[in-house]
C-alpha cells in the first residue's frame, strides 16, 4: 500500500466538482482539502488540470479464464482494466467450465486475489449456461455473488427465466440478461438492414434483442425482481426500458462505447474487429442511445471487453468470433464523444456538452451507477470523502492520444478503435490504496 498525496486536481463526485488535494494512507482517503501538507514518506502526485474521482467500475468484462487463457487471463484483464482507469471489474461467467457453482466462484476469487484491481464474479443463471435448468443460484448468492447472467446467450426458456427472477427477489440479486431471441438471431453475423443486404451476409434483426427485453420486463414486472439489460443496442430497447420504468419495474441497463460510436457502416469493409454481438446497429440507433445516456435512461457504460486470440479474428468474416476489447479505450471514447460529439473520422453522434458536465456524467455512468448495480458501492464508485476506500482515478481531460493496438496491455488486440485519436487520458489509477498505474503506465 502506498501513502499518496494527490495535489491540485478537481475532485468529481457526480455533478459536484471541487478543487482539492486528496491524502491517502493505509488504503483510505484520510483527508481532502485545499493545499494539504505532505507528510513524510508520502509520495506526491501532481494532478493540476486533472480530474480526481472514484475508479471506474465495469459491469461486463470477459476475462476468459478458465478456458481461453490464450486470449486473456484474470491477471492480464485486470492490468488492462487498471490502465483504462478501472478499479473494479465484473467477470462474466461464460468461461469453460462456466462459473455456475460456489466452487467455481471460489476458484475465480482465488485467482482474482492476485489481480491489480478488484474482481467481482458474476454467476451463471443456468447450469453450464445451457439454458436447461437453473444453476446453484442460492449457493452462489450465499458465497456473495450478486449478479447472475448467461451472457453470451440469452435465457431462451421463459418459464426458466421467470423462476430465476423469482429466486432473485428472495436474495435481492440482479438478473442480467443478454437479450437475444435465438430463433431470430442464430446464424446471423451483422445487423439486419441495408448493409447486410448489400453484402449478402446473414443477419441478426434488432427484434432479436427487443422481443427478449420486452419479455423480461414483463416477467420482472410480475415478480418485482431487479432486471439488468446488458449491452443495449437498439433505440426500441431503450423505449422498452422507459415503459418499464413507467410501470415501476426495477430495471437498469448498460450501453457499450462501441454501440454508441460505431454503426453498421463500419462493417462494410468486413473488418473482423467490427464483428460483435449484439451487432453494430444504425447511426440512428447510436444517436438515440447517446440521448438515452444523456437523459439518464441508460444507467451505465460497460465495456463488454471481449478479447480474442488473433487466430479467432483472422478468418473469413463469417467464421470470426464475435467481440471487441474495450477496457483501455472506454474512458477516452466516452469522454471524446461527450465533449466533441464524435471521434475524428466518424459521424456526429450528439451535441457536445461541456467538460465539467461530461466528467460528471462519466463519474455517474462509469463508476457510481455500476458500483450500485454490482452491489459494491461500499467500496467503489465514490463519493471520494474521508474514510472512503482508496479506489481512485486521475484523468487529464486535455491530453490526446492515438489508440495503438500494439501498445495495449490486454493479451488480445481486437480493438475496433485502433488509430483513432481520443481526448481524455487515464494518468494514475489507485486500487485498494496502491498506486498501480502512474503517468499512464502500469507499475
Ligand atoms: Zn452479451
Amino acid at each position: 500500500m502506498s501513502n499518496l498525496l494527490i495535489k491540485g486536481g478537481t475532485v468529481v463526485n457526480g455533478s459536484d466538482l471541487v478543487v482539492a488535494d486528496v491524502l491517502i494512507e493505509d488504503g483510505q482517503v484520510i483527508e481532502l482539502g485545499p493545499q494539504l501538507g505532505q507528510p513524510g514518506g508520502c509520495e506526491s502526485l501532481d494532478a493540476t488540470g486533472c480530474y480526481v474521482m472514484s475508479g471506474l467500475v465495469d459491469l461486463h468484462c470477459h476475462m476468459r479464464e478458465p478456458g481461453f487463457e490464450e486470449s486473456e487471463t484474470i491477471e492480464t484483464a485486470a492490468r488492462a482494466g487498471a490502465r483504462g482507469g478501472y478499479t473494479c471489474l465484473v467477470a462474466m461467467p461464460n468461461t469453460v467450465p462456466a462459473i455456475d457453482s460456489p466452487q467455481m466462484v471460489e476458484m475465480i476469487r482465488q485467482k482474482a486475489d492476485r489481480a491489480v484491481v478488484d474482481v467481482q464474479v458474476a454467476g451463471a443463471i443456468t447450469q453450464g449456461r445451457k439454458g436447461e435448468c437453473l444453476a446453484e443460484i442460492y449457493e452462489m448468492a450465499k458465497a456473495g455473488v450478486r449478479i447472475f447472467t448467461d451472457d453470451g446467450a440469452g435465457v431462451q426458456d421463459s418459464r426458466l427465466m421467470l423462476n430465476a427472477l423469482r429466486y432473485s427477489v428472495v436474495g435481492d440479486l440482479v438478473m442480467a440478461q443478454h437479450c437475444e431471441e435465438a430463433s431470430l438471431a442464430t446464424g446471423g453475423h451483422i445487423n439486419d438492414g441495408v448493409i447486410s443486404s448489400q453484402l449478402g451476409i446473414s443477419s441478426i434483426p434488432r427484434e432479436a434483442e427487443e422481443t427478449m427485453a420486452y419479455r423480461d420486463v414483463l416477467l420482472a414486472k410480475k415478480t418485482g425482481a431487479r432486471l439488468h439489460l446488458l449491452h443495449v443496442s437498439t433505440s426500441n430497447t431503450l423505449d422498452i426500458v422507459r415503459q418499464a420504468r413507467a410501470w415501476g419495474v426495477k430495471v437498469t441497463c448498460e450501453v457499450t462505447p462501441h454501440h454508441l460510436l460505431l454503426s453498421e457502416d463500419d462493417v462494410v469493409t468486413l473488418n473482423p474487429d467490427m464483428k460483435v454481438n449484439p451487432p453494430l446497429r444504425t447511426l440512428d440507433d447510436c444517436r438515440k442511445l447517446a440521448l438515452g445516456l444523456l437523459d439518464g435512461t441508460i444507467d451505465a457504460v460497460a465495456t463488454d471487453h471481449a478479447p480474442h486470440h488473433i487466430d479467432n479474428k483472422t478468418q473469413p468474416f463469417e467464421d470470426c468470433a464475435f467481440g471487441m476489447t474495450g477496457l483501455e479505450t472506454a474512458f477516452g471514447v466516452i469522454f471524446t464523444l461527450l465533449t466533441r460529439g464524435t471521434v475524428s473520422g466518424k459521424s456526429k453522434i450528439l451535441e457536445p456538452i461541456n467538460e465539467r458536465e461530461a466528467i460528471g456524467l462519466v463519474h455517474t455512468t462509469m463508476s457510481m451507477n455500476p458500483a450500485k448495480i454490482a452491489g459494491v458501492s461500499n467500496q467503489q464508485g465514490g463519493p471520494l470523502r474521508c474514510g472512503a476506500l482508496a479506489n481512485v482515478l486521475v484523468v487529464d481531460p486535455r491530453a490526446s492520444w492515438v489508440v495503438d493496438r500494439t501498445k495495449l496491455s490486454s493479451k488480445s488486440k481486437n480493438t475496433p478503435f485502433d488509430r483513432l485519436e481520443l481526448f481524455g487520458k487515464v494518468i494514475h489509477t489507485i486500487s485498494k490504496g496502491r498506486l498501480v498505474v502512474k503517468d499512464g503506465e502500469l507499475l
Side-chain angles (χ1 to χ4, degrees), residues 210-211 213-214 217 235-245:
E210 295 155 0
T211 51
Y214 204 79
V217 158
S235 58
N236 289 345
T237 307
L238 277 194
D239 287 336
I240 291 167
V241 169
R242 291 185 180 105
Q243 174 63 63
R245 294 215 172 113

Side-chain angles (χ1 to χ4, degrees), residues 209-241:
E209 171 174 307
E210 295 155 0
T211 51
M212 189 172 280
Y214 204 79
R215 179 202 73 176
D216 282 4
V217 158
L218 292 172
L219 298 179
K221 181 167 176 272
K222 181 180 180 66
T223 53
R226 291 162 52 97
L227 173 69
H228 179 71
L229 302 181
L230 300 162
H231 45 48
V232 169
S233 73
T234 84
S235 58
N236 289 345
T237 307
L238 277 194
D239 287 336
I240 291 167
V241 169

Side-chain angles (χ1 to χ4, degrees), residues 359-379:
I359 199 70
L361 191 59
V362 164
H363 178 249
T364 303
T365 59
M366 297 181 76
S367 182
M368 186 174 76
N369 287 349
K372 283 182 189 161
I373 294 166
V376 293
S377 52
N378 56 337
Q379 301 158 38

